[in-house]
Amino acid sequence: MKPVTFNVWRGDADGGAFATYETEISEGMVVLDAVHRIQAESAPDLAVRWNCKAGKCGSCSAEVNGAPRLMCMTRMDDMPDGEPVRVEPMKSFPLIRDLVTDVSWNFEVKKKIRPFKPRPPDADDGTWRMSQDDVDRVQEFRKCIECYLCQDVCHVLREHQLHDGFIGPRFFVHAAALEMHPLDTEDRVEELAATQGIGYCNITKCCTAVCPEHITITDNAIIPLKERVVDDLYDPIRRLFRVFRRKRT
Amino acid sequence: MAQAASSLTTQGFGRTRRRDRWWVTPLAIFLGLSGFVVYSTWAAFQGEHYHFGSYLSPFYSPEIFGSSPHSLFGAVPAAWPVWLPFSPALLILWAPAGFRFTCYYYRGSYYKAFWADPPACAVGEPRKGYRGENSFPLVIQNVHRYFLYLALIFLVFLSLDVWNALWFTGADGQVAFGIGVGTLVLAINVVLLGGYALGCHSMRHLMGGGKDHVGDAVFGRAGYRCVSCLNRGHMRWAWASLFWVAFSDFYVRMCSMGVIADWRIL
């Protein structure tokens, strides 16, 4: 057991300050354990959202020493020795209280993405046939636990607050999972460019860096979607081909 | 419990509560890319010492017009304006430069290192306004796939240069097969540039990434898997090929200037 100092944000939308706490840390503890110990020992009114403590529910997203992290997956023995640990809420969403933010904007955004629309079944028994490669490609995106750390670190939302015209990396992953699905028949490309702001992404790969599920967000989801946007909107030769093809049919 | 007055916001250039050395990577990229741009610009404007025997510097390949035996269409056309500086490299370097400039990996890197947009993840930016690649001028980056097509043509010429670098003219005027250190330098250059260009994100899109059924692509699933494999190391290919193409020019230049002697292995 060793004492460690924590600077934890206390406050709400009207303002607040970092409060300093000291608590004992033992081997194997994560930041969320320490926050719970602070709650138990000295700050029972400290607001923190959590659920599974196993990195699977995506509830305990926060910023630890300035880096967006899941508190339950941030080990205390990875923290620098002898320095206070700073814990604060995510920056891209409105603060409710202490470490809890209002992430409901994300739920509204998700509703705007066209849902899955499969082609008619391939077989009489109502089933489909898919190639394993095609399934594997979109399977990666289904690992997302919706912790919104990618949304938090994305500078388009965090720094520029372009929430009205940009859906953020989480929903590009969602759109990619649908758009690349071998059964899906819906076309989301035009909306991605026109109203969902994929052009705002400048490929900094910060979303990929913070993803606790190690989804290769930028390379496997965003850039392939950007390329599909180029197909539809910015590639003159492809457009020409499309015109000729239409004329022939 | 002690209260320390502070603000939750970290907006403002360079402001962050990150405690790691976040500035190291953008600084290294800034120095690396700046060094390459300075050297390649200098080398391109030289217009001499770009060939040595059967070796041709990749900065000058293909040599469309020029004074070396590698020139495809002979000497500089007489119509070339006297006031305009001429170097064979200036006729072609815009294509590979455009390919790198519009490359998805480099874009992300130089937006951070040169524009501080952002300087690093979760670090404050110098500007409030932001348009990204949504509108002019950065919307032009979408031309990347056309530069890829040009880069593939360049790969063919660079491969031919390696073939040419396997043939040496002896003192008796006879041409014989051989391998020199320069041959290996130029061959490694093609391998690295090939790994970089063939693993490009636009290439991946072309090879099936743009389709919902990868198997429908021209080269089928195998092609997509192969490009995806190269794409996973795209950053490493990008840097290795950038360094080596400059080194290849440097090697040929040093041989041509007589500073070093090319060692014949075979």
Side-chain angles (χ1 to χ4, degrees):
Chain A
M1 299 282 270
K2 62 173 183 179
V4 173
T5 304
F6 285 82
N7 292 327
V8 183
W9 178 261
R10 302 300 310 270
D12 55 23
D14 296 328
F18 281 98
T20 305
Y21 303 98
E22 198 175 275
T23 192
E24 296 283 325
I25 296 300
S26 54
E27 198 185 342
M29 278 178 75
V30 293
V31 171
L32 184 61
D33 294 326
V35 168
H36 282 159
R37 186 164 277 183
I38 290 167
Q39 260 185 337
E41 292 169 352
S42 46
D45 61 338
L46 172 63
V48 56
R49 185 185 284 131
W50 66 282
N51 193 357
C52 74
K53 285 181 81 176
K56 286 295 162 198
C57 74
S59 301
C60 64
S61 302
E63 296 191 6
V64 180
N65 286 345
R69 309 285 297 262
L70 289 180
M71 285 189 281
C72 70
M73 299 303 284
T74 308
R75 296 176 64 89
M76 281 305 302
D77 50 17
D78 289 339
M79 297 290 109
D81 256 350
E83 288 179 31
V85 177
R86 194 182 283 264
V87 188
E88 57 194 305
M90 292 191 283
K91 302 286 191 312
S92 295
F93 309 112
L95 181 63
I96 297 175
R97 195 160 72 87
D98 302 338
L99 301 178
V100 180
T101 50
D102 176 5
V103 294
S104 59
W105 170 79
N106 294 286
F107 311 143
E108 297 308 313
V109 168
K110 198 170 191 175
K111 288 178 198 164
K112 292 178 192 161
I113 296 169
R114 287 172 192 248
F116 181 62
K117 187 176 159 193
R119 65 172 188 244
D122 298 331
D124 293 338
D125 62 356
T127 57
W128 288 269
R129 303 290 177 266
M130 290 180 277
S131 132
Q132 191 59 47
D133 279 304
D134 297 335
V135 176
D136 288 345
R137 186 166 58 153
V138 291
Q139 200 62 28
E140 178 190 12
F141 307 138
R142 298 180 66 87
K143 291 193 298 179
C144 178
I145 57 172
E146 298 204 319
C147 60
Y148 304 126
L149 288 176
C150 56
Q151 306 283 69
D152 181 45
V153 80
C154 177
H155 73 128
V156 182
L157 298 171
R158 180 189 185 90
E159 185 85 12
H160 302 291
Q161 305 285 316
L162 291 170
H163 293 69
D164 290 337
F166 181 70
I167 61 175
R170 158 59 195 135
F171 297 106
F172 291 133
V173 167
H174 181 60
L178 297 169
E179 196 58 28
M180 295 177 190
H181 198 290
L183 300 187
D184 185 68
T185 56
E186 197 65 88
D187 186 358
R188 300 166 189 83
V189 172
E190 202 179 317
E191 286 164 357
L192 281 166
T195 57
Q196 296 168 355
I198 197 163
Y200 281 122
C201 170
N202 67 345
I203 325 148
T204 59
K205 299 197 179 185
C206 294
C207 47
T208 306
V210 302
C211 179
E213 285 293 315
H214 307 293
I215 301 170
T216 317
I217 300 173
T218 319
D219 290 304
N220 290 351
I222 299 179
I223 294 175
L225 288 179
K226 273 180 171 263
E227 283 291 313
R228 288 180 184 218
V229 168
V230 177
D231 278 351
D232 279 16
L233 301 178
Y234 302 115
D235 187 335
I237 292 178
R238 203 174 266 258
R239 287 180 100 162
L240 208 62
F241 271 123
R242 221 173 294 144
V243 169
F244 282 123
R245 216 175 290 157
R246 245 177 254 151
K247 272 187 183 166
R248 212 181 292 162
T249 53
Chain B
M1 179 193 82
Q3 289 272 345
S6 181
S7 165
L8 193 56
T9 180
T10 50
Q11 284 186 331
F13 183 36
R15 285 193 66 187
T16 182
R17 279 195 264 275
R18 280 178 63 173
R19 296 204 185 143
D20 56 334
R21 284 195 278 270
W22 57 266
W23 45 269
V24 171
T25 306
L27 180 65
I29 290 169
F30 180 84
L31 294 174
L33 290 181
S34 300
F36 179 80
V37 168
V38 168
Y39 176 76
S40 57
T41 307
W42 174 82
F45 273 97
Q46 293 309 297
E48 55 182 7
H49 296 303
Y50 58 86
H51 60 98
F52 175 71
S54 56
Y55 302 157
L56 176 64
S57 159
F59 283 168
Y60 287 74
S61 179
E63 186 182 6
I64 299 171
F65 297 109
S67 53
S68 92
H70 301 273
S71 175
L72 296 175
F73 301 107
V76 192
W80 188 267
V82 182
W83 51 268
L84 198 63
F86 177 81
S87 160
L90 299 178
L91 298 179
I92 54 146
L93 269 190
W94 58 270
F99 181 56
R100 290 204 188 252
F101 189 80
T102 57
C103 159
Y104 285 101
Y105 165 69
Y106 283 116
R107 268 144 76 178
S109 298
Y110 66 70
Y111 288 145
K112 282 182 182 165
F114 288 80
W115 267 267
D117 211 2
C121 303
V123 176
E125 297 175 26
R127 291 167 292 272
K128 284 210 185 317
Y130 179 76
R131 288 188 292 179
E133 296 181 344
N134 226 14
S135 51
F136 187 80
L138 293 182
V139 74
I140 292 173
Q141 302 278 29
N142 290 312
V143 77
H144 183 54
R145 60 180 59 176
Y146 286 95
F147 281 114
L148 167 69
Y149 306 148
L150 290 171
L152 295 178
I153 296 169
F154 274 68
L155 275 180
V156 174
F157 280 104
L158 292 171
S159 303
L160 285 172
D161 290 344
V162 175
W163 173 254
N164 291 334
L166 288 168
W167 302 95
F168 293 83
T169 309
D172 56 353
Q174 292 288 311
V175 176
F177 176 82
I179 295 175
V181 172
T183 313
L184 297 180
V185 168
L186 295 181
I188 292 170
N189 182 50
V190 171
V191 170
L192 294 174
L193 287 174
Y196 170 57
L198 298 175
C200 145
H201 292 87
S202 289
M203 185 61 141
R204 195 180 181 211
H205 178 75
L206 211 69
M207 298 292 278
K211 296 189 180 297
D212 294 343
H213 306 276
V214 173
D216 292 350
V218 183
F219 293 98
R221 289 189 187 95
Y224 179 72
R225 271 193 217 132
C226 186
V227 172
S228 296
C229 177
L230 289 172
N231 183 263
R232 279 192 283 278
H234 198 47
M235 180 187 79
R236 287 187 291 277
W237 288 110
W239 282 107
S241 62
L242 189 82
F243 170 78
W244 202 265
V245 74
F247 176 74
S248 302
D249 174 84
F250 181 75
Y251 184 84
V252 173
R253 192 168 294 281
M254 290 298 106
C255 289
S256 168
M257 291 169 76
V259 177
I260 56 170
D262 181 52
W263 188 51
R264 275 286 288 278
I265 299 165
L266 209 72

Tab-separated table of all heavy atoms in Angstrom, chain B residues 72-90:
chain	number	residue	atom	x	y	z
B	72	LEU	N	14.984	9.875	-72.545
B	72	LEU	CA	14.052	9.178	-73.437
B	72	LEU	C	13.919	9.882	-74.781
B	72	LEU	O	13.807	9.244	-75.820
B	72	LEU	CB	12.668	9.091	-72.779
B	72	LEU	CG	12.568	8.279	-71.494
B	72	LEU	CD1	11.159	8.388	-70.912
B	72	LEU	CD2	12.913	6.827	-71.744
B	73	PHE	N	13.912	11.228	-74.767
B	73	PHE	CA	13.669	11.980	-76.006
B	73	PHE	C	14.817	12.937	-76.332
B	73	PHE	O	14.609	13.965	-76.966
B	73	PHE	CB	12.353	12.753	-75.910
B	73	PHE	CG	11.158	11.860	-75.666
B	73	PHE	CD1	10.531	11.830	-74.437
B	73	PHE	CD2	10.696	11.018	-76.672
B	73	PHE	CE1	9.440	10.988	-74.206
B	73	PHE	CE2	9.616	10.173	-76.454
B	73	PHE	CZ	8.983	10.150	-75.213
B	74	GLY	N	15.996	12.634	-75.874
B	74	GLY	CA	17.161	13.436	-76.227
B	74	GLY	C	17.322	14.687	-75.386
B	74	GLY	O	16.802	14.765	-74.259
B	75	ALA	N	18.048	15.640	-75.974
B	75	ALA	CA	18.421	16.842	-75.230
B	75	ALA	C	17.207	17.763	-74.999
B	75	ALA	O	16.118	17.522	-75.529
B	75	ALA	CB	19.502	17.587	-75.996
B	76	VAL	N	17.450	18.804	-74.227
B	76	VAL	CA	16.412	19.786	-73.945
B	76	VAL	C	15.919	20.408	-75.256
B	76	VAL	O	16.735	20.780	-76.084
B	76	VAL	CB	16.995	20.931	-73.075
B	76	VAL	CG1	15.883	21.799	-72.514
B	76	VAL	CG2	17.881	20.393	-71.991
B	77	PRO	N	14.612	20.521	-75.467
B	77	PRO	CA	14.122	21.127	-76.719
B	77	PRO	C	14.613	22.573	-76.874
B	77	PRO	O	14.725	23.294	-75.874
B	77	PRO	CB	12.601	21.090	-76.566
B	77	PRO	CG	12.309	20.203	-75.413
B	77	PRO	CD	13.521	20.134	-74.573
B	78	ALA	N	14.896	22.944	-78.087
B	78	ALA	CA	15.406	24.292	-78.343
B	78	ALA	C	14.383	25.350	-77.930
B	78	ALA	O	14.722	26.491	-77.596
B	78	ALA	CB	15.743	24.433	-79.823
B	79	ALA	N	13.118	24.945	-77.923
B	79	ALA	CA	12.052	25.904	-77.588
B	79	ALA	C	11.986	26.220	-76.091
B	79	ALA	O	11.210	27.079	-75.672
B	79	ALA	CB	10.713	25.348	-78.046
B	80	TRP	N	12.757	25.511	-75.321
B	80	TRP	CA	12.720	25.742	-73.861
B	80	TRP	C	13.154	27.184	-73.570
B	80	TRP	O	14.240	27.591	-74.005
B	80	TRP	CB	13.654	24.762	-73.151
B	80	TRP	CG	13.509	24.823	-71.645
B	80	TRP	CD1	14.259	25.583	-70.800
B	80	TRP	CD2	12.569	24.137	-70.834
B	80	TRP	NE1	13.844	25.409	-69.511
B	80	TRP	CE2	12.798	24.523	-69.487
B	80	TRP	CE3	11.540	23.241	-71.102
B	80	TRP	CZ2	12.041	24.040	-68.435
B	80	TRP	CZ3	10.797	22.748	-70.050
B	80	TRP	CH2	11.041	23.146	-68.732
B	81	PRO	N	12.364	27.976	-72.862
B	81	PRO	CA	12.719	29.387	-72.628
B	81	PRO	C	14.053	29.522	-71.892
B	81	PRO	O	14.317	28.769	-70.942
B	81	PRO	CB	11.572	29.896	-71.740
B	81	PRO	CG	10.487	28.895	-71.864
B	81	PRO	CD	11.100	27.600	-72.208
B	82	VAL	N	14.864	30.447	-72.347
B	82	VAL	CA	16.213	30.620	-71.779
B	82	VAL	C	16.126	31.052	-70.321
B	82	VAL	O	16.929	30.634	-69.478
B	82	VAL	CB	16.989	31.694	-72.605
B	82	VAL	CG1	18.415	31.864	-72.089
B	82	VAL	CG2	17.006	31.315	-74.076
B	83	TRP	N	15.123	31.872	-70.016
B	83	TRP	CA	15.012	32.426	-68.664
B	83	TRP	C	14.535	31.394	-67.641
B	83	TRP	O	14.652	31.583	-66.441
B	83	TRP	CB	14.066	33.638	-68.651
B	83	TRP	CG	12.737	33.353	-69.302
B	83	TRP	CD1	12.409	33.559	-70.599
B	83	TRP	CD2	11.573	32.771	-68.692
B	83	TRP	NE1	11.122	33.159	-70.857
B	83	TRP	CE2	10.583	32.686	-69.695
B	83	TRP	CE3	11.268	32.351	-67.406
B	83	TRP	CZ2	9.315	32.156	-69.442
B	83	TRP	CZ3	10.006	31.830	-67.155
B	83	TRP	CH2	9.051	31.737	-68.169
B	84	LEU	N	14.014	30.247	-68.137
B	84	LEU	CA	13.462	29.234	-67.223
B	84	LEU	C	14.538	28.208	-66.899
B	84	LEU	O	15.085	27.583	-67.802
B	84	LEU	CB	12.260	28.559	-67.900
B	84	LEU	CG	11.294	27.792	-67.016
B	84	LEU	CD1	10.612	28.715	-66.019
B	84	LEU	CD2	10.251	27.091	-67.875
B	85	PRO	N	14.871	28.050	-65.609
B	85	PRO	CA	15.913	27.070	-65.287
B	85	PRO	C	15.452	25.670	-65.695
B	85	PRO	O	14.290	25.331	-65.541
B	85	PRO	CB	16.059	27.195	-63.768
B	85	PRO	CG	14.833	27.862	-63.290
B	85	PRO	CD	14.293	28.677	-64.410
B	86	PHE	N	16.392	24.891	-66.228
B	86	PHE	CA	16.021	23.539	-66.637
B	86	PHE	C	16.754	22.485	-65.821
B	86	PHE	O	17.949	22.589	-65.563
B	86	PHE	CB	16.329	23.307	-68.130
B	86	PHE	CG	16.009	21.899	-68.550
B	86	PHE	CD1	14.706	21.543	-68.854
B	86	PHE	CD2	16.998	20.908	-68.585
B	86	PHE	CE1	14.394	20.241	-69.202
B	86	PHE	CE2	16.679	19.598	-68.936
B	86	PHE	CZ	15.382	19.261	-69.245
B	87	SER	N	15.995	21.508	-65.423
B	87	SER	CA	16.572	20.309	-64.844
B	87	SER	C	15.582	19.197	-65.155
B	87	SER	O	14.366	19.381	-65.012
B	87	SER	CB	16.736	20.480	-63.328
B	87	SER	OG	16.853	19.208	-62.725
B	88	PRO	N	16.078	18.033	-65.594
B	88	PRO	CA	15.135	16.941	-65.932
B	88	PRO	C	14.219	16.579	-64.762
B	88	PRO	O	13.082	16.149	-64.974
B	88	PRO	CB	16.067	15.771	-66.268
B	88	PRO	CG	17.359	16.385	-66.629
B	88	PRO	CD	17.477	17.651	-65.838
B	89	ALA	N	14.707	16.784	-63.541
B	89	ALA	CA	13.897	16.423	-62.365
B	89	ALA	C	12.652	17.291	-62.249
B	89	ALA	O	11.600	16.826	-61.799
B	89	ALA	CB	14.740	16.556	-61.105
B	90	LEU	N	12.784	18.559	-62.670
B	90	LEU	CA	11.647	19.480	-62.518
B	90	LEU	C	10.461	19.086	-63.396
B	90	LEU	O	9.328	19.463	-63.124
B	90	LEU	CB	12.085	20.911	-62.837
B	90	LEU	CG	13.192	21.471	-61.930
B	90	LEU	CD1	13.581	22.879	-62.375
B	90	LEU	CD2	12.738	21.479	-60.476
